[in-house]
Amino acid sequence: MAIRTQLARLGLFDAKVPRYTSYPTAPHFAGDVGPDRFGEWIGAVPEGGNISLYLHVPFCRRLCWFCACRTQGTATAKPVEAYVETLQAELKLLRKALPPGVKLSRLHWGGGTPTLLSPDMMSRLIGEIRETADFAEHAEFSVEIDPNEIDAARLDALAAGGMNRASIGVQDFDEQIQEAIGRPQGYDVTRKAIEMIRERGVASLNTDILFGLPHQTRARITETVQKLLSFAPDRVALYGYAHVPWMAKRQQMIPSDMLPTPQERLDLFETARRLFVWDGYAEIGIDHFAVPGDGLAIAQKTGKLRRNFQGYTDDTSEVLIGLGASSISRFPQGYAQNAPSTSAYTGAIREGRFATSRGHTFKGEDKLRGRLIEALMCDFRIDADEIVAGYGVSREWLFRTFRDTAAAFDNLLEVTEDGLYLPEKTRPLTRMVARTFDAYDLSKAGHSSAI
C-alpha cells in the first residue's frame, strides 16, 4: 500500500493527461494545414515506398452511450451509400497524387461501424483501394467488426477482399453494465461472430474491453476477462473509460454516480491485467496484451513498437493516410486532419479537392519530444544513445532533463548511464511522466484520467 500512497501523492488519481496517440495531440492542430499542403506531403512519399491507410466510417445503427468517437446514427442505407461514393472519389484523388509504385503495408477500417456497409459497398471500396495501391508483402488488412452488425455475406466480402485481422469491441459482458452504457452485446452473439470470422480463414483476432464503467466491480471484470479469454484473441486492448459528457453529449445518459472511483479504477485495471498475464499474454505498453508470437509482442522485443491513433502498432511505415470524415493522416512533415463533419468532408471531395481542414507542421523540438514520449509509452524507457544520435541534442542536456523528471516523481524513476527507466511499480504514472516532456498548453480539452 505504500507505493499506492506515493502514487496518490504524485497525483495519479487526480491528473488529467493526454493518451498521447500523437504529439502534439489533436487539440493543438490548427488551420494552417490545408488541402494544398496535404497534397504536397503525399507527393513527397518516396516512389515504391510503403504507406498505411485508415478508412473511417462514421455511421452506426445505434449510438452507444459510452463512445466519444465522431459517429452518427442512421436507420437507412441512403447516407451510407452516398458516403461510400465519396470515399471512392477520395481514393481517386489520392491515386492521382501518390508517386508511382507506392504499396500498402497496413489497411484498417474503423468507425463508427464499418460492418454497417453492405457486401457490395465493401467490395467496391476494396476494389478502389486495390486500384490505388497494391498490398505489400505481409500486408495487414484489419476491420473493426460489430457482432450485432455482421453476417455471412459481409464477412465473405471482407475475406475475399483480403481481410486477415478482425477487431471486436466487447466493453463488458455484464448485462447491467451493458444496459448502463447503451451497448447490448451478449456473449453468444460475440462468440458466433468470432466463429464466423475464423471459419473464413481470418486467424488474427483483436479484442478490447473497458475498465472504469458504471457498476463494474473486480468480480464482474474478472468474469468478463475469463469469457474473453475463451475466444483466445491474439491481442487485447484494456482501455480506461473516459467519462467526458461535456464533449460527448451521449455520455450524459450514463449514471455518473455509478462510476468507480479513481482508486477503484486502478483495482479494476490491475485485476484484468493480472488475469491476462497469468494466461500467458505479454504486456504491451500501458494497456495492450498480446500472445508471444503476435506482431506486437515481437515488435516490443525488437524495439520496433510504435504508437499511433489506433493505439500500439508494429507498423513501421512513416506515412499513415486517413480517409473519410475527421480522419487524421501522419507524415514525416506533420499531421493533417479531414473536415470533421460529414457534410463538409463530402462537399470538399465532390468539388475535386482534398478535405483537409487542419493539422500541424512539425517544428522546433516536436520530433524530439514526440519520440521521448513515444519511447516512454512503448518501452517505459528512453535510450540516451538513440536520442543523442537521432536528434542532435547533447548528453548533458538530456541527462539534466532526466534527473529533473525523476526528481519531480520522488526519484521513483531510474536514471542510469543508458537513460531514463520506469520501474514496474511506477508504470501507472507513465502518461504523467510523458506529460513532463510535452511543451504545449496542457489545458486543452480532451484529456482523460491518468488511470
Side-chain angles (χ1 to χ4, degrees), residues 153-187:
R154 284 179 280 187
L155 281 176
D156 286 343
L158 291 172
M163 180 182 73
N164 52 17
R165 182 177 289 276
S167 181
I168 289 185
V170 169
Q171 321 322 331
D172 195 290
F173 281 123
D174 184 271
E175 290 185 5
Q176 184 183 19
I177 295 173
Q178 290 179 0
E179 182 179 355
I181 65 174
R183 173 74 173 198
Q185 182 182 315
Y187 173 82

Side-chain angles (χ1 to χ4, degrees), residues 89-410:
E90 186 179 19
L91 281 161
K92 287 183 172 66
L93 289 175
L94 177 61
R95 186 184 314 159
K96 292 178 182 178
L98 277 173
V102 171
K103 294 186 177 181
L104 292 183
S105 61
R106 295 289 189 279
L107 170 62
H108 182 77
W109 290 11
T113 308
T115 49
L116 191 71
L117 274 57
S118 69
D120 176 66
M121 293 177 192
M122 291 175 173
S123 298
R124 281 159 42 202
L125 273 180
I126 292 168
E128 201 72 61
I129 290 167
R130 289 185 176 275
E131 286 290 320
T132 301
D134 291 330
F135 282 114
E137 188 178 6
H138 307 303
E140 187 173 279
F141 174 16
S142 56
V143 180
E144 295 174 12
I145 292 175
D146 181 351
N148 293 309
E149 192 65 57
I150 194 64
D151 55 27
R154 284 179 280 187
L155 281 176
D156 286 343
L158 291 172
M163 180 182 73
N164 52 17
R165 182 177 289 276
S167 181
I168 289 185
V170 169
Q171 321 322 331
D172 195 290
F173 281 123
D174 184 271
E175 290 185 5
Q176 184 183 19
I177 295 173
Q178 290 179 0
E179 182 179 355
I181 65 174
R183 173 74 173 198
Q185 182 182 315
Y187 173 82
D188 289 338
V189 170
T190 306
R191 176 182 53 79
K192 182 179 178 182
I194 291 172
E195 289 174 352
M196 292 170 64
I197 289 166
R198 286 180 167 151
E199 285 169 0
R200 284 155 179 79
V202 181
S204 299
L205 176 67
N206 296 0
T207 59
D208 59 71
I209 62 173
L210 293 175
F211 69 92
L213 294 172
H215 308 294
Q216 208 169 38
T217 64
R218 292 172 66 182
R220 286 179 169 182
I221 202 169
T222 295
E223 184 175 1
T224 285
V225 170
Q226 289 173 337
K227 287 181 175 179
L228 185 70
L229 289 171
S230 72
F231 302 140
D234 300 88
R235 299 177 186 174
V236 180
L238 176 60
Y239 292 128
Y241 167 62
H243 192 60
V244 287
W246 56 91
M247 289 178 55
K249 300 301 183 185
R250 70 190 77 165
Q251 289 188 354
Q252 294 176 3
M253 302 290 290
I254 293 178
S256 58
D257 58 334
M258 292 292 103
L259 293 171
T261 66
Q263 293 84 349
E264 289 168 340
R265 284 172 63 95
L266 181 57
D267 288 336
L268 291 167
F269 174 82
E270 285 296 328
T271 298
R273 184 190 71 83
R274 286 194 294 268
L275 289 168
F276 290 125
V277 172
W278 286 341
D279 213 58
Y281 284 76
E283 293 185 72
I284 309 296
I286 63 171
D287 54 17
H288 279 54
F289 303 84
V291 295
D294 183 80
L296 281 188
I298 295 170
Q300 183 186 57
K301 286 183 178 180
T302 56
K304 295 180 180 179
L305 187 66
R306 293 294 179 262
R307 187 104 169 129
N308 68 11
F309 295 104
Q310 281 79 57
Y312 290 102
T313 182
D314 57 348
D315 183 20
T316 57
S317 173
E318 291 189 346
V319 176
L320 167 66
I321 296 176
L323 303 171
S326 79
S327 284
I328 300 176
S329 301
R330 183 200 66 228
F331 296 89
Q333 299 91 338
Y335 297 106
Q337 184 173 21
N338 278 351
S341 77
T342 305
S343 59
Y345 158 75
T346 300
I349 299 299
R350 288 182 177 176
E351 289 175 4
R353 56 185 173 84
F354 289 116
T356 314
S357 64
R358 65 179 195 144
H360 178 86
T361 303
F362 292 138
K363 57 184 179 295
E365 296 180 338
D366 284 347
K367 289 190 175 183
L368 164 65
R369 292 180 177 276
R371 179 55 192 150
L372 293 171
I373 289 171
E374 183 182 52
L376 283 173
M377 297 289 292
C378 291
D379 306 316
F380 304 116
R381 69 172 68 241
I382 299 173
D383 184 287
D385 289 342
E386 176 206 338
I387 300 302
V388 170
Y391 298 90
V393 299
S394 69
R395 291 183 69 88
E396 291 76 13
W397 177 87
L398 189 60
F399 276 89
R400 183 169 63 251
T401 302
F402 288 165
R403 288 190 294 270
D404 290 345
T405 302
F409 290 92
D410 288 358

